[in-house]
């Protein structure tokens, strides 16, 4: 799965370097084994962002760089998605960038494993939640999927923002929803959201893995 993610990210046109940040020697050896680059990090990190900040420091990434965080459990990530989230950072007002996709399947609206996002007319995130947002007061939300967006877990950061963010303690809403991006909003960072047409499946359960394997077999 890590190799699928690594190789897909490498195909993005705007990416200059790809590496895997991990605290697991098995993952490190696997990445190095297929010819990739891995960076060992501390076991004490509370979040992926903290881990990336350490890896960026170890790699000596320059201060003007844009860092993209692609989670290792997203084997269906498309190179165009990586390029799109980098493009979001061309907006100098954005501290961070991410992607969202319109929800097509009504069952995803109430699924707490599908994170929803709402954003303003300029594309800046207002809130992320495991609950259905916006709440459809006057009817059944399942009949209005067009107004719901699910968050795709890919982020772009300016390097200085990444380093500042990693030093901040977990925020109140972050701890309630268990969503790290809420820390960014609570501390006043701006997250710009770009809509994507691409679907991706994060592998959180054995059922997710089965779905991914089916998708990959169809693409062969």
């Amino acid at each position: 799965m890590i190799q699928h993610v690594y190789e897909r990210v490498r195909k993005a046109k705007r990416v200059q370097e790809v590496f895997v940040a991990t605290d697991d020697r098995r993952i490190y050896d696997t990445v190095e084994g297929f010819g990739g680059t891995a960076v060992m990090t501390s076991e004490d990190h509370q979040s992926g962002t903290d881990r990336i900040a350490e890896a960026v420091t170890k790699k000596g990434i320059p201060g003007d760089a844009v860092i993209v965080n692609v989670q290792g459990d997203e084997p269906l990530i498309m190179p165009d998605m990586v390029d799109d989230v980098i493009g979001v950072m061309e907006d100098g007002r954005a501290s961070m960038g991410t992607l969202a996709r319109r929800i097509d399947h009504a069952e995803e609206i109430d699924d707490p494993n599908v994170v929803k996002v709402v954003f303003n007319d300029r594309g800046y995130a207002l809130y992320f939640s495991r609950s259905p947002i916006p709440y459809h007061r006057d009817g059944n939300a399942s009949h209005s999927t067009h107004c719901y967006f699910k968050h795709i877990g890919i982020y772009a950061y300016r390097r200085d923002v990444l380093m500042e963010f990693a030093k901040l303690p977990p925020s109140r809403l972050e701890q309630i929803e268990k969503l790290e991006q809420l820390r960014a909003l609570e501390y006043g960072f701006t997250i710009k959201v770009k809509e994507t047409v691409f679907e991706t499946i994060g592998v959180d359960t054995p059922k997710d893995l089965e779905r991914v394997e089916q998708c990959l077999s169809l693409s062969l």
Side-chain angles (χ1 to χ4, degrees):
M1 183 163 62
I2 292 289
Q3 186 171 359
H4 272 292
V5 176
Y6 190 97
E7 293 179 351
R8 284 171 176 252
V9 171
R10 273 203 335 183
K11 292 178 181 177
K13 296 182 177 66
R14 306 183 72 164
V15 167
Q16 296 180 358
E17 182 179 8
V18 180
F19 58 87
V20 175
T22 182
D23 64 351
D24 191 316
R25 176 58 64 174
R26 295 168 299 174
I27 293 176
Y28 181 94
D29 291 342
T30 296
V31 173
E32 295 286 323
F34 64 68
T37 301
V39 178
M40 283 296 293
T41 62
S42 169
E43 298 178 354
D44 299 328
H45 293 307
Q46 298 298 309
S47 70
T49 303
D50 298 337
R51 190 176 312 286
I52 291 168
E54 180 189 349
V56 165
T57 300
K58 284 186 171 182
K59 291 285 290 180
I61 304 297
D64 60 348
V66 170
I67 313 300
V68 180
N69 175 3
V70 179
Q71 298 184 51
D73 62 358
E74 294 276 358
L76 300 185
I77 197 78
M78 298 295 290
D80 285 347
M81 298 170 74
V82 180
D83 285 330
D84 282 346
V85 79
I86 294 173
V88 168
M89 301 309 294
E90 292 174 355
D91 183 342
R93 297 166 296 179
S95 304
M96 298 168 56
T98 194
L99 302 179
R101 187 181 189 279
R102 290 181 185 270
I103 289 180
D104 296 324
H105 306 291
E107 64 271 15
E108 291 186 323
I109 297 172
D110 292 305
D111 185 346
N113 293 313
V114 177
V115 177
K116 276 68 68 174
V117 59
V118 288
F119 43 88
N120 66 20
D121 60 356
R122 293 173 294 168
Y124 291 101
L126 299 171
Y127 195 69
F128 297 83
S129 182
R130 297 183 182 279
S131 297
I133 52 173
Y135 176 74
H136 201 287
R137 192 196 71 169
D138 296 326
N140 188 334
S142 64
H143 299 303
S144 304
T145 57
H146 64 278
C147 68
Y148 292 88
F149 286 83
K150 66 177 176 180
H151 179 224
I152 306 298
I154 179 174
Y155 299 95
Y157 317 81
R158 302 190 190 285
R159 187 187 184 282
D160 59 342
V161 169
L162 170 63
M163 294 305 173
E164 182 181 353
F165 181 79
K167 295 176 183 177
L168 295 170
S171 65
R172 180 177 59 88
L173 295 175
E174 173 189 4
Q175 293 181 75
I176 293 171
E177 295 244 25
K178 298 298 186 287
L179 296 175
E180 188 181 17
Q181 59 269 43
L182 291 178
R183 187 194 317 177
L185 293 183
E186 283 192 85
Y187 283 104
F189 293 103
T190 54
I191 304 177
K192 189 158 188 179
V193 182
K194 180 178 175 63
E195 183 177 353
T196 181
V197 298
F198 296 111
E199 181 66 280
T200 185
I201 301 172
V203 180
D204 298 313
T205 67
K207 184 177 180 181
D208 293 334
L209 183 58
E210 290 178 7
R211 293 172 62 199
V212 166
E213 288 175 339
Q214 290 174 357
C215 292
L216 291 175
S217 66
L218 290 174
S219 65
L220 295 177

